[in-house]
Amino acid sequence: MSRRILVVPANHAAGVKAVCHAMLHALDERGVDVGYIKPLGHPLTHGPDESAALARLAATLTYVPEPLPATHINSRLAYGATETLMEEVVELAEPLLEGHEVVIAEGLAQDDDAPYADDLNAALARTLDAEVVLVASARDRSPGHVAERFAATVPHFSVGGAGHRITGVVINRLPAEPAGEAEAYAEAVRAHGLRIIAMIPQDPNLAQPRMKDIVDQLHLEVINAGDTSRRVRELNVAAQTIPGVLDYLTEGQMLLVPGDRHEVLASAALAELNGVKLAGLLLTAGIRPSPKVLQLCHKAMASGLPVHLTEDKTYETSHAIIHLDPSVPADDEERVRKVTESVASRLDQDFVESISKTATRTRLSPAAFRRQLTTLARESVKRIVLPEGAEPRTVQAAIHCQREGIATCVLLATPAEVEATAASLGLALPEGIEIIDPSHPDQRYVDALVERRKHKGLTEAMAHDMLGDTVVLGTMMLHLNEVDGLVSGAVHTTANTIRPALQILGTKPGASLVSSVFFMGLPDEVVVYGDCAVNPDPDAEQLADIAIQSADSARAFGLDPKVAMISFSTGTSGSGADIEKVQAATARVRQLRPDIVIDGPLQYDAATTESVARSKAPGSPVAGHANVFVFPDLNTGNTTYKAVQRSASVISIGPMLQGIAKPVNDLSRGALVEDIIYTIALTAIQAGADEQDRTS
């Protein structure tokens, strides 16, 4: 029987949804087979219920039912048919209760449009036979008030003479100041004998809307759409002259200004052209700027600066923005993830582990894999060099990795460049992050490079020129064991990253080539795809090497590799040169590495689907259960990886390079900050695995 946990509010605007998502995420990270349901939809006056869509962003969920709509609920209640409504809840929830070991259910929010919330939540707890987590918001409420709300809600969930169903409470939206006030809330709640499973402070960084959200809610007129995904970190009225406005020209600032303040518009455009990504300009009082000024600012607007217009005056506009609906839109994946992860980090770990231990089926979910990456990277304690040291995404990733202990990051750039980038992002450089000015490389790098490439006729002058490339300098640092790994590619091409590694580091002993893998986060598990980025048309020997490298990589990251050699035909059903290559490669792996579980040729469906495997490849040790997929050529591999990634909304991590003597990894030039963070973690883990291999 599944364990059911119903999360319900004890007061208005409690933040139940965020707590549900946090519990889903925390359990998903631990590989628990968890499901989610919100049985009852909220009143339609708040717009469409986006609970199911938001939950899919918070965790890897294969099925989330839509809640029963508010109109239907009101209809049932009007006729006193609460029990009929609960029967419909059971029917809705049954597939989840049967299919998952733990199910998180979201209760109905307290609302003036839903005065029946307490009674229906109590009925849900009885119907689902669920334990209950109560959530209360402390925002603008005293410790005594919050404690009293919890105490007043508990009796609704009584179980005869056996006590109540409350397993714990969450105090949400605690004031950040003054220090120590949170403990007053905790003492007041504990006085009622309730267990606190999370205390969550208010975090303004999690409440940053996108320009898109402000435009949509205030129905603004578009002067220049620009990049509407930019976050509004702060709102300021540009009422001063230019020297006073300069302090506001920083990353994430939204400026309110009448459209005839042309000097402010021009200053904002100049800041944009200098790399400062303002959230946007909102021109008030219906005053349109001069077309000549807009033409002057054309390049800045073309690079993404949003400019919008409202008929309202400045004061009314600022008041409307401050009082925007704080709900997270269902299409804002980044914000959902940040809120979810932040709240999840505040959950009592003993409480989460107690739920995890009730699960008998676990899996390596994408969230569990990502958590495993950061955990293993922290254990490795490695130093990773980042040649693109002043690039904004790289700086953000390095700051995160340094703060979280994922790796010690070494940025190749002048300190002034890195500090300026961090300041423009509104970030502070943490203690311990290393910045090395690459403009005057030490003579030891010149000497070592000449020694390494003297067989190619490299001179000292040529070495000086080569070391002007930060990727070459970083690779030399890796060659001299001054760092443990290198990550590049946010602005460099793949060739720029790999070529110095091959010239200076070479391949690993026993490796005939460099290849790559992607870790693909499918809904229920993580699988490995190789090679999807490097080798256009490997021969049988090379394909066997790719399979061995991919299996070893999978094992290094916690997977038990079952390798499928993919082809357009399964077993002996096909013929031709392409089939023979896969057959020969499979035989070669079995000869060289009998410890690797491998089979091929296998069609993709035979490799993944048990019912197909039974008919196409009976008796195969891999068919139907494969988790490492080796494609016969780059055309097949790259096409498949991109099709799966985009069509199935799958998270992919990689490419991770294999076969280089020391860990070097390439980024996509469109990489997100999160992609860079996980690539740094991958590189640190590779370095740790290489170290173990050398000492074993």
Side-chain angles (χ1 to χ4, degrees), residues 548-611:
I548 291 169
Q549 292 176 4
S550 301
D552 287 343
S553 292
R555 187 174 284 114
F557 288 88
L559 295 172
D560 180 17
K562 294 179 176 60
V563 183
M565 304 295 282
I566 299 300
S567 176
F568 66 82
S569 176
T570 295
T572 59
S573 64
S575 61
D578 291 338
I579 296 292
E580 290 169 4
K581 180 176 80 169
V582 175
Q583 289 172 336
T586 305
R588 183 65 174 159
V589 174
R590 287 173 176 154
Q591 177 190 0
L592 294 174
R593 291 287 299 275
D595 60 302
I596 294 176
V597 180
I598 188 169
D599 199 8
L602 287 172
Q603 291 166 288
Y604 194 92
D605 58 351
T608 59
T609 309
E610 287 188 54
S611 58

Side-chain angles (χ1 to χ4, degrees), residues 168-207:
V169 302
V170 174
I171 309 174
N172 196 13
R173 295 171 177 155
L174 284 160
E177 298 291 341
E181 187 173 352
E183 189 53 37
Y185 286 90
E187 289 177 5
V189 171
R190 290 192 187 108
H192 290 276
L194 296 170
R195 177 190 180 186
I196 299 173
I197 61 172
M199 297 179 64
I200 305 166
Q202 293 186 76
D203 185 349
N205 292 325
L206 301 178

Side-chain angles (χ1 to χ4, degrees), residues 622-656:
V622 170
H625 304 283
N627 58 6
V628 177
F629 300 82
V630 177
F631 297 99
D633 52 52
L634 188 58
N635 184 40
T636 307
N638 191 266
T639 301
T640 303
Y641 126 71
K642 287 189 179 295
V644 172
Q645 180 192 38
R646 299 301 177 188
S647 300
S649 298
V650 162
I651 296 171
S652 66
I653 299 175
M656 186 185 85

Side-chain angles (χ1 to χ4, degrees), residues 131-187:
E131 54 196 286
V132 174
V133 170
L134 293 179
V135 184
S137 170
R139 185 175 183 178
D140 300 326
R141 298 174 174 99
S142 68
H145 177 86
V146 170
E148 288 167 8
R149 284 306 308 153
F150 279 134
T153 307
V154 168
H156 287 278
F157 301 97
S158 61
V159 187
H164 53 71
R165 296 175 179 272
I166 311 299
T167 194
V169 302
V170 174
I171 309 174
N172 196 13
R173 295 171 177 155
L174 284 160
E177 298 291 341
E181 187 173 352
E183 189 53 37
Y185 286 90
E187 289 177 5

Side-chain angles (χ1 to χ4, degrees), residues 278-594:
L278 297 169
L281 291 177
L282 179 49
L283 311 178
T284 59
I287 302 173
R288 295 177 178 276
S290 162
K292 290 183 179 179
V293 174
L294 288 178
Q295 182 60 36
L296 182 68
C297 300
H298 172 72
K299 282 191 177 180
M301 293 192 294
S303 72
L305 176 64
V307 182
H308 292 83
L309 178 71
T310 177
E311 296 295 324
D312 293 334
K313 294 182 179 179
T314 301
Y315 175 79
E316 287 82 358
T317 303
S318 62
H319 183 272
I321 293 173
I322 291 168
H323 293 87
L324 286 173
D325 180 357
S327 302
V328 183
D331 66 341
D332 193 347
E333 184 173 355
E334 179 189 6
R335 190 170 162 204
V336 170
R337 185 174 64 251
K338 284 183 177 179
V339 171
T340 297
E341 291 175 354
S342 176
V343 176
S345 71
R346 302 280 180 175
L347 292 173
D348 178 7
Q349 295 305 299
D350 289 340
F351 170 72
V352 176
E353 291 298 333
S354 72
I355 301 173
S356 303
K357 288 173 183 175
T358 64
T360 58
R361 296 197 312 269
T362 59
R363 75 221 198 278
L364 188 64
S365 66
F369 178 71
R370 292 194 298 271
R371 182 171 183 261
Q372 182 171 279
L373 283 183
T374 54
T375 300
L376 290 173
R378 289 188 187 101
E379 293 172 356
S380 295
V381 194
K382 296 303 176 187
R383 196 164 176 251
I384 307 301
V385 65
L386 306 171
E388 299 153 328
E391 195 278 325
R393 292 164 295 165
T394 301
V395 172
Q396 283 182 270
I399 289 172
H400 178 88
C401 288
Q402 194 74 34
R403 285 177 175 163
E404 297 298 318
I406 292 170
T408 298
C409 293
V410 181
L411 298 169
L412 297 186
T414 64
E417 285 180 300
V418 177
E419 288 164 6
T421 299
S424 72
L425 296 168
L427 300 173
L429 294 173
E431 188 176 341
I433 200 166
E434 297 182 47
I435 304 171
I436 295 177
D437 187 343
S439 57
H440 300 290
D442 192 89
Q443 185 63 34
R444 69 181 183 277
Y445 299 122
V446 177
D447 295 341
L449 183 55
V450 169
E451 177 63 26
R452 192 78 179 97
R453 300 289 293 169
K454 64 183 179 182
H455 65 289
K456 293 291 186 179
L458 189 74
T459 65
E460 185 169 319
M462 293 164 66
H464 270 291
D465 287 342
M466 287 181 66
L467 288 165
D469 182 340
T470 55
V471 178
V472 174
L473 178 58
T475 306
M476 284 305 302
M477 294 174 69
L478 186 55
H479 172 61
L480 295 176
N481 298 317
E482 296 175 1
V483 293
D484 302 298
L486 179 148
V487 173
S488 181
V491 293
H492 289 88
T493 65
T494 297
N496 289 148
T497 300
I498 295 179
R499 188 185 302 112
L502 291 176
Q503 292 174 341
I504 297 166
L505 304 173
T507 57
K508 279 185 175 182
S512 65
L513 80 173
V514 174
S515 67
S516 71
V517 289
F518 283 88
F519 294 91
M520 307 293 290
L522 303 180
D524 289 321
E525 63 176 337
V526 172
V527 300
V528 173
Y529 281 6
D531 170 17
C532 303
V534 179
N535 297 285
D537 190 16
D539 60 26
E541 289 284 328
Q542 293 171 328
L543 195 59
D545 201 351
I546 292 169
I548 291 169
Q549 292 176 4
S550 301
D552 287 343
S553 292
R555 187 174 284 114
F557 288 88
L559 295 172
D560 180 17
K562 294 179 176 60
V563 183
M565 304 295 282
I566 299 300
S567 176
F568 66 82
S569 176
T570 295
T572 59
S573 64
S575 61
D578 291 338
I579 296 292
E580 290 169 4
K581 180 176 80 169
V582 175
Q583 289 172 336
T586 305
R588 183 65 174 159
V589 174
R590 287 173 176 154
Q591 177 190 0
L592 294 174
R593 291 287 299 275

Side-chain angles (χ1 to χ4, degrees), residues 93-282:
E94 201 164 32
L96 288 170
L97 302 179
E98 292 177 353
H100 299 283
E101 298 231 306
V102 178
V103 174
I104 306 298
E106 180 182 336
L108 193 60
Q110 291 196 351
D111 195 283
D112 291 339
D113 295 313
Y116 43 71
D118 282 340
D119 290 337
L120 282 187
N121 285 329
L124 284 175
R126 293 191 301 271
T127 299
L128 298 174
D129 191 21
E131 54 196 286
V132 174
V133 170
L134 293 179
V135 184
S137 170
R139 185 175 183 178
D140 300 326
R141 298 174 174 99
S142 68
H145 177 86
V146 170
E148 288 167 8
R149 284 306 308 153
F150 279 134
T153 307
V154 168
H156 287 278
F157 301 97
S158 61
V159 187
H164 53 71
R165 296 175 179 272
I166 311 299
T167 194
V169 302
V170 174
I171 309 174
N172 196 13
R173 295 171 177 155
L174 284 160
E177 298 291 341
E181 187 173 352
E183 189 53 37
Y185 286 90
E187 289 177 5
V189 171
R190 290 192 187 108
H192 290 276
L194 296 170
R195 177 190 180 186
I196 299 173
I197 61 172
M199 297 179 64
I200 305 166
Q202 293 186 76
D203 185 349
N205 292 325
L206 301 178
Q208 296 173 351
R210 301 164 298 181
M211 275 300 300
K212 175 183 184 298
D213 304 323
I214 294 176
V215 172
D216 290 346
Q217 288 196 42
L218 300 188
H219 307 292
L220 303 177
E221 181 182 337
V222 177
I223 300 293
N224 184 65
D227 178 8
T228 58
S229 66
R230 293 186 181 184
R231 299 271 169 203
V232 179
R233 295 181 179 176
E234 194 173 357
L235 173 68
N236 275 294
V237 176
Q240 298 174 278
T241 57
I242 292 304
V245 172
L246 292 179
D247 290 338
Y248 302 150
L249 299 180
T250 58
E251 181 101 4
Q253 289 278 354
M254 181 178 180
L255 299 183
L256 297 188
V257 61
D260 57 359
R261 290 289 304 277
H262 295 127
E263 79 283 14
V264 174
L265 186 58
S267 298
L270 186 59
E272 176 78 25
L273 292 175
N274 279 293
V276 178
K277 294 189 180 298
L278 297 169
L281 291 177
L282 179 49

